[in-house]
Amino acid sequence: MSMVGSGLAQETGAIKLPPSETAGGMPLTRASAEDKAFYSATDAGFIAQNVYLYCASAGLAVVVRSLVDRDALGAAMGLGRHQRIILAQSVGYPAGSAK
């Protein structure tokens, strides 16, 4: 899929995760909007850290970006009304490295 918005990357492999059924042992259907936002941000942080750890072990460069065109990227990924983009990560080869 071509990158939407920023020119920081030519291509992106987007990972769309299924929504969690529970967070902190509490069904999200009964969580407040504030709790849902908190759990979403926390989960996004855990996932971003895992991507960083993998990239470090594989010799890849990675950066978290919060300034993305969320509407365009969400449309390109086919996200529903209830799904939202918290952050994005660009992954690639470090400058000057052999590919």
Side-chain angles (χ1 to χ4, degrees), residues 28-86:
L28 286 180
T29 55
R30 293 186 289 177
S32 69
E34 183 179 347
D35 284 343
K36 287 179 184 180
F38 171 78
Y39 288 123
S40 296
T42 302
D43 286 345
F46 295 151
I47 294 164
Q49 183 175 14
N50 285 336
V51 172
Y52 266 97
L53 291 170
Y54 172 78
C55 288
S57 73
L60 295 169
V62 61
V63 64
V64 167
R65 298 182 304 125
S66 62
L67 297 175
V68 295
D69 186 340
R70 285 174 172 77
D71 292 334
L73 185 56
M77 292 175 65
L79 299 183
R81 290 182 308 125
H82 64 285
Q83 297 173 308
R84 61 182 347 141
I85 295 170
I86 305 294

